[in-house]
Amino acid sequence: MKTERRTSWLPVLAALAVALAMGAATLVLERAEGARLAQMHRVEILNQVSAVRARLEGSVQSRLVLARGLIAFVSTHPDIDNAQFQELAKVLVAQQKGVRVVELARNNVISHIYSLNENDQRAMGLDLMSLADEKDAIERAITSRRTIIAGPVNLVQGGVAFISRIPIYVTEPGKLSESGTYWGMAQVIMMKDDMLNEAGLTGNSFPDLRFALRGHDATGAAGEVIVGDAAVFSSDPVVADVMLPNGSWQIAAVPKKGWITPHTGWIPLVGSLFVVISGLLAWMLARAPVRLKILVAEATEEARRSEARLNDLNRELEQRIEVRTQALVQTNQELLKEAAERRQAEKELVERHAFSQALLKAQSDVDEGMLVLQDGGIVFANEAMARLTGYRVDELLGGMPYADLVHPDSRSEIQDKNRRRLAGEQFENRYETSIVTKEGERREVELAVAIVKNGEIIQTVVVVRDITERKGLQDNLRHMAHYDELTNLPNRALFFDRLERALADARRHGSDFAMLFIDLDGFKAVNDAYGHQAGDRLLQEVAHRMEQCVRESDTVARMGGDEFAVIVGDVAQNEDASGVAQKIIDSLSAPLLLDGVDCHIGASIGISLFPHDGETSETLLTKADGAMYSAKNKGKNTYCFVQG
């Protein structure tokens, strides 16, 4: 009788044991899934923070790189007058939104100001060293002989801005710009709101995040908060360093609703179901082993079918999300196209108005040449045209065909435009071309052309402006804006432009490419031991060696400091990218001779691949940057692909 009682309890005990085991497994799975989802949440926010950091760095660099042409001119022309300064600064400000004022402070006293706002002229004659709150940053720029980003600063003339202070040294041709006698300071005033808006830190760009930025006067994590709530930095945030010339800011972000563990309620629900099912199956197995085996097989098959249905539903959901995402991308592209067309229409309207004003002014403006043409010949020319071409007015009116003044490279194009314009075709009436002077010198000019009808007589009025010097200056500034001054490699701005082109080409042709992010190993030791001049020569040699390791169609760029990036096109397999990386490592590992001393450095390289590791420039750069740190952790002087 006792044996029968014990036997009757066995199914119950078996069911309880199995149910407890399944319950414990459910708890472990729930915690693991919660931790995984929480980590994915942090990674997602890190990607958004990295995008903001990249835009901040790009905003600062794009504004500073345009100032280099001005600094180079002042260092070799210390007696620059106001007219020269206004012309140079006008080109600089016109090419960069967000630069409000450009100033020169000779002997630290503001002596030149360019601004479209008359209130900014109030700062003329201000002694920078008299500004107690800004004196430390000014002295740091002079002592380090480097650019310093100060601010945010409340301007004397109103508004809040970051101020880039760049010390200027009078140098002889061929000498390093920092080696001469201190002349004074150049200041580029960058409006705070414009820069924060470009980075997405204003408005509602990130509705679910709280951002904060600190590092007043580019002092990094030790500096005061610039934007946002200081409490963000004590709320377990995701942080990133915004690298600036000789300093940094630190940006942090947290979810507005706090770090909430993602909901995993389906695991307890499914786990509870399996606890009940497994307990029941164990009870039935203890009572009827053969029947239970059949039931287990059926339950297992049903579970497989349920899992398959769940996978099908997940795939269907992913496809719907992808279709909606593509629709949003297409809508965004159409909006951008519409905005570009509107800007082009506004530009054409402004140009037509400017041309009309130019014609009215041409009769009395002795600095602009003026011609009246009839049947291809010159019937009127003013003295300014004679000075520009080197011919006397009577020579120009002595039957000279207008086409003889046009440079041979442009002659057929100009003649074709004249024929089409006289035939009634409407197109641009202001354009640039080249003419040839009497002495054979080529001059770049801007033409404004209009057709005048007087009864049966049709004449063409041409206003000619000499833009040779301006074109040369613009070409130099354009080069400085897109190339690193030290290494002559593409800079960060041009790199992102070429990266976007590589993405477009790869999508169009269905090809792959690789991006290498490179950080030099041991550069700081060389720089500290032998000085900044030796460090600059080392970077120039590094740039030369890298260019020897890639094809002409590839891009090598300097991202800032001792960081470089390479775009390698037409990568058919991983070995193509790793081969280039190893080639760079081998080249840079060879000794570099500086002032008779062998210097040794290395390179840690992170590699991301399109489209495997990402399909946007920001994603590829972020992942390559992370892979570079993996290479550092492996012992440096090696390369790593993106993991996971």
Side-chain angles (χ1 to χ4, degrees):
M1 193 69 178
K2 292 181 179 179
T3 302
E4 290 178 1
R5 277 198 213 98
R6 285 196 299 268
T7 304
S8 65
W9 281 98
L10 286 176
V12 176
L13 293 175
L16 288 174
V18 171
L20 289 172
M22 290 298 297
T26 299
L27 288 175
V28 173
L29 179 60
E30 181 182 14
R31 292 178 180 176
E33 179 66 8
R36 184 184 71 83
L37 293 178
Q39 183 62 28
M40 289 178 61
H41 191 199
R42 291 188 73 89
V43 170
E44 179 183 354
I45 293 177
L46 176 60
N47 288 336
Q48 297 181 68
V49 171
S50 297
V52 174
R53 179 200 66 179
R55 286 194 288 267
L56 277 172
E57 291 178 350
S59 294
V60 174
Q61 291 296 333
S62 64
R63 287 164 170 79
L64 295 186
V65 74
L66 288 172
R68 291 177 180 167
L70 174 62
I71 306 307
F73 185 86
V74 176
S75 65
T76 55
H77 299 77
D79 295 324
I80 179 173
D81 59 31
N82 188 58
Q84 293 172 318
F85 170 74
Q86 294 294 324
E87 182 67 23
L88 288 168
K90 178 180 178 181
V91 175
L92 188 156
V93 172
Q95 294 190 22
Q96 180 57 62
K97 176 185 177 184
V99 175
R100 170 169 165 174
V101 186
V102 180
E103 300 174 340
L104 295 179
R106 188 166 189 170
N107 295 323
N108 297 331
V109 176
I110 296 180
S111 54
H112 300 72
I113 296 178
Y114 178 84
S115 172
L116 301 179
N117 190 330
E118 293 183 359
N119 289 335
D120 293 322
Q121 299 296 328
R122 294 163 53 191
M124 182 68 76
L126 177 65
D127 186 349
L128 300 182
M129 302 304 289
S130 68
L131 302 175
D133 293 340
E134 304 175 38
K135 186 175 180 180
D136 289 344
I138 297 170
E139 290 179 341
R140 184 151 54 98
I142 297 173
T143 303
S144 65
R145 305 173 79 90
R146 298 282 180 169
T147 300
I148 295 295
I149 303 296
V153 173
N154 293 319
L155 301 176
V156 174
Q157 58 271 39
V160 182
F162 296 101
I163 301 180
S164 169
R165 293 196 167 97
I166 311 169
I168 304 175
Y169 299 86
V170 178
T171 57
E172 299 178 1
K175 298 292 184 65
L176 292 175
S177 58
E178 295 85 359
S179 63
T181 303
Y182 179 68
W183 182 89
M185 192 78 63
Q187 297 194 141
V188 178
I189 297 180
M190 306 170 289
M191 301 311 296
K192 174 185 173 184
D193 290 343
D194 289 337
M195 296 184 63
L196 297 182
N197 185 55
E198 289 180 18
L201 290 176
T202 58
N204 199 32
S205 300
F206 301 94
D208 298 327
L209 297 181
R210 292 169 57 209
F211 279 94
L213 181 70
R214 65 185 176 186
H216 190 278
D217 285 346
T219 53
E224 298 176 2
V225 172
I226 298 173
V227 177
D229 187 354
V232 172
F233 288 96
S234 58
S235 303
D236 189 24
V238 172
V239 299
D241 290 331
V242 180
M243 303 310 296
L244 304 173
N246 302 291
S248 65
W249 297 326
Q250 188 179 72
I251 188 170
V254 296
K256 287 184 177 178
K257 297 181 180 179
W259 296 108
I260 301 175
T261 302
H263 179 64
T264 57
W266 66 272
I267 294 179
L269 180 62
V270 175
S272 299
L273 180 61
F274 273 103
V275 167
V276 174
I277 293 174
S278 60
L280 181 60
L281 290 176
W283 179 74
M284 295 177 66
L285 179 62
R287 296 192 63 188
V290 174
R291 176 170 175 73
L292 186 57
K293 289 180 181 178
I294 295 173
L295 291 175
V296 168
E298 292 176 351
T300 302
E301 181 61 28
E302 179 61 27
R304 290 196 187 98
R305 287 195 293 269
S306 297
E307 182 179 3
R309 287 196 296 272
L310 180 60
N311 289 336
D312 290 341
L313 289 173
N314 285 335
R315 282 193 294 271
E316 182 179 352
L317 180 59
E318 290 175 355
Q319 290 173 354
R320 290 179 180 177
I321 292 174
E322 181 178 358
V323 170
R324 292 180 180 179
T325 301
Q326 291 175 350
L328 288 173
V329 170
Q330 182 178 358
T331 300
N332 186 51
Q333 290 175 343
E334 291 174 353
L335 288 174
L336 291 175
K337 180 180 178 181
E338 181 180 345
E341 291 174 348
R342 183 176 299 173
R343 287 195 299 271
Q344 180 62 27
E346 292 174 351
K347 178 183 177 182
E348 292 174 354
L349 186 61
V350 170
E351 288 178 346
R352 284 196 293 269
H353 175 72
F355 168 64
S356 299
Q357 295 300 315
L359 284 178
L360 295 174
K361 183 182 177 183
Q363 296 179 356
S364 59
D365 191 347
V366 296
D367 291 327
E368 293 180 340
M370 186 173 181
L371 296 173
V372 178
L373 312 178
Q374 184 176 331
D375 299 328
I378 302 171
V379 297
F380 173 82
N382 64 359
E383 290 292 335
M385 194 68 203
R387 291 194 299 271
L388 176 61
T389 61
Y391 293 96
R392 299 189 310 275
V393 172
D394 61 334
E395 290 179 319
L396 293 173
L397 300 177
M400 174 184 289
Y402 167 63
D404 287 356
L405 292 177
V406 182
H407 193 276
D409 293 346
S410 308
R411 191 167 294 163
S412 60
E413 176 186 359
I414 296 300
Q415 289 176 324
D416 180 64
K417 286 184 176 181
N418 286 342
R419 283 193 296 269
R420 291 161 57 194
R421 185 178 287 105
L422 291 172
E425 185 175 345
Q426 300 294 322
F427 54 96
E428 77 275 13
N429 54 16
R430 180 185 292 272
Y431 48 91
E432 297 176 359
T433 188
S434 303
I435 65 171
V436 180
T437 68
K438 184 176 182 179
E439 293 73 26
E441 179 185 5
R442 179 172 183 159
R443 305 292 294 177
E444 303 298 322
V445 296
E446 181 185 65
L447 304 182
V449 183
I451 300 297
V452 178
K453 294 184 178 180
N454 184 13
E456 297 297 322
I457 300 176
I458 300 177
Q459 295 181 326
T460 304
V461 179
V462 183
V463 179
V464 185
R465 175 180 293 178
D466 188 353
I467 60 171
T468 304
E469 293 183 1
R470 190 189 79 189
K471 289 281 288 186
L473 177 60
Q474 288 178 338
D475 291 342
N476 290 336
L477 289 176
R478 193 175 295 112
H479 181 83
M480 293 178 186
H482 293 93
Y483 289 85
D484 179 59
E485 183 180 11
L486 179 65
T487 63
N488 206 35
L489 291 177
N491 61 15
R492 189 184 189 92
L494 183 56
F495 170 80
F496 275 108
D497 180 71
R498 293 193 178 177
L499 181 55
E500 289 296 335
R501 292 186 187 179
L503 285 167
D505 290 342
R507 294 188 186 107
R508 186 182 308 111
H509 302 295
S511 58
D512 299 342
F513 70 89
M515 195 185 75
L516 281 60
F517 194 85
I518 304 165
D519 187 85
L520 300 183
D521 300 325
F523 171 77
K524 186 177 184 301
V526 174
N527 203 50
D528 291 344
Y530 302 106
H532 292 302
Q533 294 184 12
D536 289 348
R537 291 198 299 274
L538 176 61
L539 290 175
Q540 290 171 340
E541 178 61 20
V542 165
H544 175 71
R545 292 191 182 187
M546 283 189 185
E547 287 184 306
Q548 300 302 311
C549 296
V550 300
R551 300 164 298 186
E552 288 186 2
S553 58
D554 298 331
T555 295
V556 179
R558 184 186 180 197
M559 304 297 283
D562 59 347
E563 292 181 341
F564 298 80
V566 179
I567 302 173
V568 182
D570 297 324
V571 174
Q573 52 190 356
N574 290 4
E575 287 75 13
D576 295 339
S578 60
V580 174
Q582 189 60 51
K583 198 173 183 181
I584 292 174
I585 291 172
D586 293 340
S587 177
L588 298 185
S589 297
L592 295 95
L593 188 64
L594 294 177
D595 296 332
V597 178
D598 282 341
C599 297
H600 297 271
I601 62 170
S604 295
I605 304 177
I607 306 174
S608 61
L609 303 172
F610 173 88
H612 182 269
D613 296 324
E615 297 187 2
T616 67
S617 58
E618 293 176 352
T619 301
L620 292 172
L621 181 61
T622 300
K623 291 190 175 182
D625 184 60
M628 182 273 291
Y629 281 108
S630 297
K632 291 277 190 186
N633 294 333
K634 285 177 63 176
K636 302 181 179 181
N637 209 34
T638 186
Y639 63 85
C640 279
F641 285 90
V642 174
Q643 301 299 315

